[in-house]
Amino acid sequence: MRPHVVAHLAVSIDGATTGFETDQARFYAMATLWQEDVTLVGADTILAQESAVRVAERPGPRAAGPLLAVVDSRHRVRSLEILRELGYWSDVIALYADQTPAREPDSKIQELVTGYDRVDLVEALELLGRRGAQVVRVDSGGALVGVLLELGLIDEVSLLVHPVVVGSAARWHGSFADRLDLRLANSETFEGGIVWLRYCTA
Ligand SMILES: NC(=O)c1ccc[n+]([C@@H]2O[C@H](COP(=O)([O-])OP(=O)(O)OC[C@H]3O[C@@H](n4cnc5c(N)ncnc54)[C@H](OP(=O)(O)O)[C@@H]3O)[C@@H](O)[C@H]2O)c1
């Protein structure tokens, strides 16, 4: 069965995911709310943090943590073994496609191969569900969220809205340009004018 999929993003009031300072502590504290089984991350989100990841402390995998699943059909991410050691996740799985470039022969990273030239996100989520995942939290800047929205795969949208207008930056819904009616599940105001909006898509 397909897991419950929640996209949790820090955004500006004009919907940008970058170009402003986010309240990271609050963002990640709130992310624990879902107790996800899988953290689904876009390759570009990992690449944006790669230099910090390489110098971060490595306490080792956290047995009780979620599985980190990275969508990476072009095999651009080379830091998966380090990510597994950061103490947030229990393990890491790379989501690849048939046409993904060859991996290092000594790679110890588990893989899930779906789709031909891009990861088939419908099938990948289905397979993660069959492995026992009930809740997936998407951590991406918008591109991956947009594709998941287009495929009707997002059940919940959680926006931590920061009081700033950024102008021209990528939006949290990526390429998704259809109408989507949402039902407000909860809202809360925090200091600094930050507002949390939690919506269900169905
Ligand atoms: N504000 C926030 O809450 C927040 C959260 C996370 C990250 N960020 C920021 O956002 C930026 C990165 O985000 P981003 O939106 O550029 O990229 P992203 O969502 O992290 O990465 C794009 C992902 O979408 C996949 N993808 C795109 N089209 C696809 C398709 N048709 N089928 C399957 N997969 C598809 C790509 O896969 P392939 O690589 O396989 O093509 C890639 O894994 C960074 O600057 C990061 O710091 C902000």
Side-chain angles (χ1 to χ4, degrees):
M1 205 181 87
R2 184 171 75 70
H4 179 86
V5 179
V6 51
H8 174 57
L9 298 110
V11 298
S12 64
I13 60 169
D14 54 340
T17 58
T18 58
F20 62 101
E21 206 168 308
T22 55
D23 185 340
Q24 290 279 324
R26 188 179 300 283
F27 180 80
Y28 283 108
M30 293 180 71
T32 62
L33 176 77
W34 289 276
Q35 299 283 301
E36 79 262 22
D37 304 298
V38 174
T39 317
L40 183 68
V41 184
D44 295 279
T45 291
I46 300 286
L47 292 172
Q49 298 170 14
E50 221 162 36
S51 49
V53 161
R54 288 192 186 284
V55 297
E57 282 186 38
R58 300 178 193 177
R62 185 166 66 91
L67 175 70
L68 171 65
V70 180
V71 181
D72 188 20
S73 54
R74 286 168 279 171
H75 188 26
R76 291 178 292 151
V77 176
R78 302 302 165 110
S79 54
L80 295 181
E81 293 191 20
I82 300 176
L83 287 161
R84 182 170 51 196
E85 301 302 314
L86 293 186
Y88 302 121
W89 295 286
S90 54
D91 202 354
V92 172
I93 186 166
L95 305 189
Y96 293 138
D98 282 349
Q99 294 296 300
T100 297
R103 276 73 82 187
E104 298 76 10
D106 58 345
S107 171
K108 296 182 183 67
I109 296 298
Q110 44 172 333
E111 304 181 356
L112 190 60
V113 178
T114 60
Y116 180 67
D117 54 0
R118 283 317 257 290
V119 172
D120 181 332
L121 294 164
V122 175
E123 192 184 344
L125 282 170
E126 182 70 37
L127 291 172
L128 289 168
R130 273 192 228 162
R131 292 168 58 125
Q134 295 183 352
V135 177
V136 171
R137 180 176 64 82
V138 184
D139 191 346
S140 113
L144 180 60
V145 172
V147 177
L148 292 167
L149 282 169
E150 284 164 8
L151 294 168
L153 294 173
I154 303 256
D155 302 295
E156 193 178 332
V157 176
S158 163
L159 300 176
L160 197 59
V161 184
H162 290 59
V164 57
V165 174
V166 167
S168 56
R171 299 293 185 260
W172 68 269
H173 47 82
S175 57
F176 179 78
D178 289 339
R179 174 179 167 147
L180 178 67
D181 293 309
L182 300 159
R183 182 173 56 78
L184 185 67
N186 201 4
S187 67
E188 212 171 322
T189 304
F190 300 112
E191 64 185 48
I194 295 173
V195 178
W196 178 45
L197 300 170
R198 184 178 178 187
Y199 291 102
C200 298
T201 57

